[in-house]
Amino acid sequence: MKNIKLLGLPLLLLVLISSCSSVSVLSDYDQKADFNGYKTYAFYKTGIDKAQISDLDKKRILRAIETEMSSRGFVKSETPDLLVSIFTKEQERVDVYNNNYGWGGAWGWGYNPWAWGPGFGWGGTSVSASTQGSLYIDLIDNKSNELVWQGKGVGTLSNTSNIAKKEERIREFVSQILEQYPPNAVALK
């Protein structure tokens, strides 16, 4: 029983750490679209310009999309089959933790086995703030100008000045979203 408890703590920590860094992904698509016919793509500048993030982060997202699309056999083209657009949302998340741990005691007359020594304790409230971000990747049929696939990734964004970590997190978002494309391949899994 003692060994199970000892193994349980590291496992619990691993689950907590991985849940903090994961991206929750959803996708939706037009069931009538022929995804096998799409071989080329281009970025939909009008949609991308509307994304309310810094130009540097837009560049990072677009580079990550280029890498993922290329790895799936897509070729960037002036006359594309698909137009790729992005949309972002972010929301501040504030978590408040009450830490009421402590011990203490009091001086006085009488007998109380729980009261001893001068009062000591610790505890209080701690506040943690993070940014919850959503990245939408839209794939639009260039001929019909209709949305045929949409992927959404939601996760915690690290407010870091470390550019390498920021780029890694963006690549993780994009990669996990585009794992859902094409929808027929996902359905077969």
Side-chain angles (χ1 to χ4, degrees):
M1 187 66 169
K2 200 175 201 180
N3 289 338
I4 292 174
K5 286 181 183 179
L6 290 175
L7 290 174
L9 184 60
L11 186 59
L12 178 63
L13 287 173
L14 180 63
V15 169
L16 288 173
I17 290 169
S18 65
S19 69
C20 292
S21 67
S22 68
V23 178
S24 176
V25 177
L26 298 168
S27 65
D28 195 7
Y29 63 96
D30 180 353
Q31 291 182 337
K32 294 181 182 178
D34 177 18
F35 292 98
N36 294 324
Y38 300 129
K39 305 290 183 208
T40 60
Y41 76 98
F43 290 112
Y44 184 58
K45 184 173 175 11
T46 306
I48 292 169
D49 287 344
K50 292 179 184 178
Q52 296 181 350
I53 55 174
S54 77
D55 286 343
L56 292 172
D57 283 341
K58 281 181 194 178
K59 285 180 186 178
R60 291 178 182 109
I61 291 169
L62 297 180
R63 279 194 302 260
I65 291 173
E66 281 181 353
T67 300
E68 289 296 320
M69 294 296 279
S70 176
S71 73
R72 287 170 171 67
F74 283 88
V75 177
K76 205 169 178 184
S77 170
E78 294 291 322
T79 56
D81 302 320
L82 289 172
L83 296 172
V84 180
S85 186
I86 62 169
F87 178 76
T88 59
K89 287 184 184 179
E90 66 179 43
Q91 178 181 7
E92 289 298 316
R93 179 179 171 165
V94 177
D95 294 314
V96 179
Y97 303 98
N98 289 319
N99 300 318
N100 294 324
Y101 303 107
W103 56 273
W107 294 100
W109 293 97
Y111 173 75
N112 184 344
W114 305 111
W116 49 275
F120 289 96
W122 68 88
T125 303
S126 63
V127 178
S128 170
S130 62
T131 303
Q132 187 80 16
S134 300
L135 171 63
Y136 295 80
I137 300 176
D138 293 341
L139 301 181
I140 302 161
D141 185 296
N142 193 27
K143 289 180 185 164
S144 66
N145 203 30
E146 291 183 2
L147 181 66
V148 292
W149 184 88
Q150 182 178 65
K152 174 186 175 185
V154 179
T156 303
L157 302 174
S158 55
N159 296 328
T160 180
S161 59
N162 184 327
I163 302 303
K165 284 184 179 181
K166 182 185 270 192
E167 287 190 9
E168 181 182 331
R169 186 67 174 152
I170 288 172
R171 284 192 303 269
E172 180 184 2
F173 258 77
V174 170
S175 174
Q176 289 188 25
I177 293 168
L178 288 175
E179 278 180 8
Q180 301 286 313
Y181 184 85
N184 298 334
V186 173
L188 296 174
K189 286 183 182 180

